[in-house]
Amino acid sequence: MATSAAKRVIVFDTTLRDGEQSPGASMNLTEKLEVARALELLGVDVIEAGFPITSPDDFEAVRAVSRQVRRPAVCGLARCVAKDIDRAAEAVAPARHPRIHVFLATSKIHREHKLHKARNEILRLAVEGVRHAKAAIDDIQFSPEDAARTEPPFLAEVVEAVIDAGATTVNIPDTVGWSTPDRFRALIEYLFEHVSNIRKAVIAVHCHDDLGMAVANTLTAVQAGARQVEVTINGIGERAGNAALEEVVMALNTRPDAFGGCRTGIRTELLHPTSRMVSRVTGLVVARNKSVVGENAFAHESGVHADGVLKERTTYEIMDPKSVGLAKSKLVLGKHSGRHQFRQRLKELGFRLPDAAIDRLFFGAFKELADRKKEVFDEDIAALVESESAQTQETWRLCRLTVATATGGMASATVELENVVAKEHRRDAATGDGPVDAIFRAMERITGVSLRLSDYQIRSVTSGTEAQGEARLEARHGDRTVSGRGVSTDILEASAKAYLGAINRVIAMKGRKSKVQGPKSKVKKR
Ligand code: KIV
Ligand code: ZN
């Protein structure tokens, strides 16, 4: 849909300047060029590539980005002094669309404590700075730093003077993230009412996130008439960061009704890849619950929500995941998941089972596993179904396992098994060279089946300390070899299940289906 010029919002990306100022986020030249390339592809209108006076590296980076980037304007930051402005002008000179961004603080706090200058001096310096920059380049942006805490009449005076001096964009920063949405909107409206030449420049806003209101303040300024938003990928920037590009853009796209149809030129399907790339390059991890680009932004675990999304995505999703570059929403299986979601995932994993069988055979085991693990992965589910299926022909089932070990001493295990054919529970204990040995001996005492272990392996099914462990073993019984497999978050339990699987196979092979073995075991009738 075409956006009229009056509704087109310019996206000024400062990931490479304010974003790079985030503690721990510095990037080398190659990385800056990679980010600049991604920003150009994403469709930003202006790339603020750095602050050239601050170091030779910063100068070189702005120059290199200026040479590389073709469509967006490339901007260099400068304090309101001639040597800064000259250096910025030199750095952006190779750009097809060069811009200089001059800033000078205007608030009382900054005037008195940082600059030690009176209002009239600030006004004079601002005008001189803009004129100096204008002599080098036509596209000049001026920022009255800490504008949000500046007295509105003085701010209006400065804005009017710099526009007269040739500023083509005037940016109103909330430098310390102090403003609130209604206050910031009122400030922008005030400027539109009190600056006579305001229509000759683009009004921009640059909001910091110290109180978590950067995006809200930015959007409220758009409602009041601002037409340039200064943003960063993933919201990185000084202290708590800047307004996040992806959030501002998706708010405008998702709620045209709330923002008068204002749109940007951003290719939103590149938001996720760009976010991941900036996170990789800067080392700044994106919070799981971060809007739009966080890992959980399109993930549903609650049974009610997942069920809703499976029936109709828009019940719980206001944005299409594809519109931000994700293939699809993620239905996370965990303890809040319901039957519908579990069945759906089994089908996606290729298990062709009737719903009733899934519910009867596997859903209980899945819920038990989900209680123990925060997130149940596809590998966990496959392992669960396979191991539960192997148990469908079982004679003995593991009910309870208690193990005690002591360094340098014997281990002991108490095992309770159920004979599912005879419907009896049996419990017995044994000691061994280690906990696994003790468990196996106790099970032999209960079942009366003894095995000679020939191979025994444990591996992790998924990653992390809460991952499921899989035990696989091979054992000899007479002249036969039998195998067993068990999966659990507890590797001793996995081992016990594997051993019991092998015992059940021996029993099945012998055709002894219902006899309860093991005279030493205690019998507990249900
Ligand atoms: O936060 C701020 O005020 C700035 C200016 C340089 C625009 O980053
Ligand atoms: Zn800033």
Side-chain angles (χ1 to χ4, degrees):
M1 197 207 309
T3 308
S4 74
K7 292 183 175 179
R8 175 68 159 80
V9 174
I10 296 164
V11 174
F12 176 107
D13 182 280
T14 182
T15 304
L16 292 174
R17 199 279 298 170
D18 213 320
E20 209 228 359
Q21 284 172 222
S22 332
S26 59
M27 297 173 235
N28 63 33
L29 179 61
T30 319
E31 291 166 338
K32 284 191 175 183
L33 288 173
E34 192 185 346
V35 172
R37 206 168 296 124
L39 292 173
E40 180 167 20
L41 269 178
L42 183 64
V44 308
D45 302 289
V46 186
I47 296 177
E48 186 164 52
F51 194 171
I53 194 77
T54 54
S55 73
D57 278 359
D58 239 63
F59 176 85
E60 279 314 323
V62 177
R63 213 173 155 81
V65 172
S66 300
R67 287 201 186 104
Q68 176 188 276
V69 161
R70 296 289 82 189
R71 194 192 44 76
V74 180
C75 178
L77 183 66
R79 285 171 302 181
C80 206
V81 289
K83 67 174 179 3
D84 277 37
I85 295 169
D86 293 343
R87 196 78 174 134
E90 199 185 334
V92 297
R96 189 182 265 184
H97 309 289
R99 177 182 289 196
I100 302 176
H101 178 187
V102 182
F103 75 99
L104 178 65
T106 49
S107 68
K108 188 165 183 285
I109 299 175
H110 282 239
R111 288 191 318 257
E112 290 178 1
H113 300 285
K114 186 178 91 176
L115 301 172
H116 308 289
K117 293 197 190 319
R119 287 185 186 195
N120 57 350
E121 258 180 298
I122 298 287
L123 195 60
R124 180 180 59 79
L125 287 173
V127 168
E128 277 178 16
V130 170
R131 285 201 184 124
H132 189 84
K134 193 80 180 176
I137 278 168
D138 197 48
D139 186 356
I140 303 301
Q141 168 163 332
F142 180 82
S143 288
E145 193 190 7
D146 203 17
R149 291 193 296 175
T150 301
E151 306 88 324
F154 178 55
L155 184 66
E157 212 180 323
V158 173
V159 172
E160 180 147 340
V162 294
I163 294 174
D164 270 346
T168 37
T169 301
V170 182
N171 174 40
I172 307 299
D174 180 18
T175 302
V176 289
W178 170 85
S179 205
T180 55
D182 53 347
R183 208 174 169 128
F184 202 55
R185 173 211 290 263
L187 181 64
I188 304 298
E189 282 170 354
Y190 179 90
L191 293 175
F192 273 98
E193 274 163 33
H194 293 84
V195 174
S196 65
N197 55 3
I198 199 156
R199 305 273 165 199
K200 291 189 183 157
V202 172
I203 296 301
V205 287
H206 173 115
C207 299
H208 277 272
D209 208 30
D210 300 65
L211 292 173
M213 290 187 276
V215 170
N217 288 342
T218 303
L219 291 169
T220 196
V222 170
Q223 287 170 328
R227 286 297 174 265
Q228 176 174 298
V229 290
E230 302 211 356
V231 287
T232 58
I233 301 292
N234 298 337
I236 63 173
E238 280 280 3
R239 307 180 308 282
N242 291 69
L245 180 149
E246 59 279 4
E247 296 179 24
V248 171
V249 168
M250 287 315 288
L252 295 177
N253 278 19
T254 310
R255 297 299 309 276
D257 55 322
F259 301 107
C262 284
R263 291 290 179 119
T264 66
I266 295 295
R267 292 174 60 196
T268 60
E269 68 280 8
L270 293 180
L271 286 173
H272 255 268
T274 312
S275 158
R276 280 199 297 271
M277 194 266 269
V278 168
S279 172
R280 170 175 54 77
V281 163
T282 58
L284 297 181
V285 177
V286 173
R288 270 185 94 112
N289 64 333
K290 161 96 177 55
S291 310
V292 183
V293 292
E295 209 181 315
N296 287 359
F298 293 88
H300 309 269
E301 180 179 324
S302 140
V304 175
H305 287 212
D307 187 48
V309 169
L310 284 168
K311 287 175 178 149
E312 167 52 46
R313 188 187 59 74
T314 55
T315 52
Y316 288 98
E317 275 182 2
I318 59 166
M319 293 170 267
D320 185 340
K322 291 194 189 72
S323 72
V324 299
L326 279 179
K328 57 179 179 150
S329 332
K330 187 169 146 195
L331 299 180
V332 179
L333 287 179
K335 65 176 179 181
H336 303 113
S337 307
R339 279 170 206 279
H340 188 180
Q341 198 181 348
F342 179 64
R343 285 184 206 144
Q344 177 75 19
R345 184 62 61 86
L346 279 184
K347 280 177 193 143
E348 282 166 11
L349 289 173
F351 293 102
R352 302 273 165 260
L353 296 160
D355 288 352
I358 293 176
D359 292 357
R360 186 167 42 82
L361 296 172
F362 308 120
F363 190 65
F366 158 71
K367 278 290 195 185
E368 243 176 60
L369 175 65
D371 265 342
R372 287 191 254 165
K373 274 192 105 225
K374 280 201 199 104
E375 193 175 331
V376 181
F377 299 104
D378 290 350
E379 295 88 334
D380 291 322
I381 296 171
L384 179 145
V385 173
E386 281 156 12
S387 90
E388 293 293 319
S389 305
Q391 285 169 24
T392 53
Q393 300 221 327
E394 69 195 354
T395 303
W396 293 98
R397 179 178 293 164
L398 181 68
C399 301
R400 191 162 299 135
L401 178 64
T402 316
V403 176
T405 55
T407 318
M410 295 288 279
S412 64
T414 305
V415 176
E416 184 178 325
L417 302 181
E418 179 192 4
N419 185 305
V420 292
V421 181
K423 300 207 183 322
E424 281 180 353
H425 280 228
R426 291 187 170 229
R427 184 162 18 95
D428 213 328
T431 53
D433 275 347
V436 174
D437 188 38
I439 293 167
F440 291 177
R441 286 185 192 203
M443 290 201 290
E444 285 180 3
R445 286 166 67 92
I446 298 173
T447 60
V449 177
S450 61
L451 300 173
R452 263 178 301 116
L453 206 58
S454 50
D455 189 24
Y456 165 65
Q457 288 175 23
I458 292 273
R459 73 169 187 108
S460 166
V461 177
T462 47
S463 57
T465 50
E466 55 160 28
Q468 293 206 92
E470 179 196 51
R472 277 182 186 272
L473 57 82
E474 268 183 18
R476 301 281 297 166
H477 180 79
D479 56 358
R480 302 257 175 120
T481 298
V482 282
S483 61
R485 177 174 177 274
V487 175
S488 169
T489 48
D490 174 347
I491 55 169
L492 292 178
E493 190 179 311
S495 305
K497 284 182 172 173
Y499 203 69
L500 204 52
I503 288 176
N504 281 331
R505 283 210 167 82
V506 170
I507 296 170
M509 278 185 318
K510 288 183 174 173
R512 288 185 298 166
K513 282 192 179 145
S514 56
K515 276 206 183 129
V516 178
Q517 310 272 323
K520 289 177 200 148
S521 310
K522 291 176 191 128
V523 179
K524 200 169 72 170
K525 276 268 185 198
R526 267 201 296 195

